[in-house]
Amino acid sequence: MAPWHDGHQALFKRCVAKTGQVIIQVRDVQGVSGGIGQDDNPFDWVAVSSSIETWLLEDGFRRGVEYEIMLVTNIVNITYGRRVGYSFEEEVFEKSVTEISATEIRKKLREEGRL
C-alpha cells in the first residue's frame, strides 16, 4: 500500500473538475526528509505512481487523458516574483479529509507489519 489516500483523491477530483486536466507532481523524498514531520517516506517512484494510477482508475480517471504524474526534486519552498497566467489556490475540505495524515498512515502500516 503506497501513500495515495482519500484526501489526495478528493483534492484531485476538485482540481480536475476545475481544469479538466491535472499534473500530479510527486516529490522525490524516498529515504530523505520531505520536511518537518516527513522523515520516514519509504515509498519509491514506482510504488507511488502505481498507487496513484490504481486509485484514480477506480473513479474512471486515466493517466495521459485527465492527468499525468511527474517526479520532481525534493521541493521544500516555492517562490515566485509575479503572477504570469496562473494562480495558487488552497482547497479547503471538511475535517474528516483535512485530518488524513500520510505520516499516521505509514505509522499504522508499520505497527500492523504491512510496511
Side-chain angles (χ1 to χ4, degrees), residues 17-111:
K18 284 183 180 182
T19 63
Q21 57 188 358
V22 174
I23 293 290
I24 301 168
Q25 294 185 324
V26 176
R27 290 180 7 194
D28 189 6
V29 296
Q30 183 189 16
V32 299
S33 176
I36 296 171
Q38 299 180 38
D39 292 333
D40 68 339
N41 192 338
F43 302 108
D44 65 17
W45 164 247
V46 173
V48 173
S49 59
S50 176
S51 173
I52 293 169
E53 286 187 70
T54 298
W55 275 70
L56 292 177
L57 191 57
E58 288 179 9
D59 286 329
F61 298 110
R62 296 155 298 157
R63 187 171 182 177
V65 179
E66 292 88 8
Y67 72 95
E68 191 51 73
I69 309 169
M70 171 190 283
L71 182 65
V72 297
T73 59
N74 186 15
I75 299 167
V76 295
N77 184 49
I78 297 174
T79 305
Y80 65 97
R82 62 188 176 101
R83 294 176 189 236
V84 183
Y86 53 84
S87 63
F88 287 93
E89 298 178 34
E90 179 180 0
E91 292 292 332
V92 179
F93 292 89
E94 60 275 0
K95 189 176 179 180
S96 64
V97 173
T98 59
E99 288 184 343
I100 297 171
S101 165
T103 301
E104 290 300 315
I105 291 170
R106 289 189 301 272
K107 180 181 175 184
K108 183 177 180 191
L109 289 171
R110 284 189 176 101
E111 289 170 354

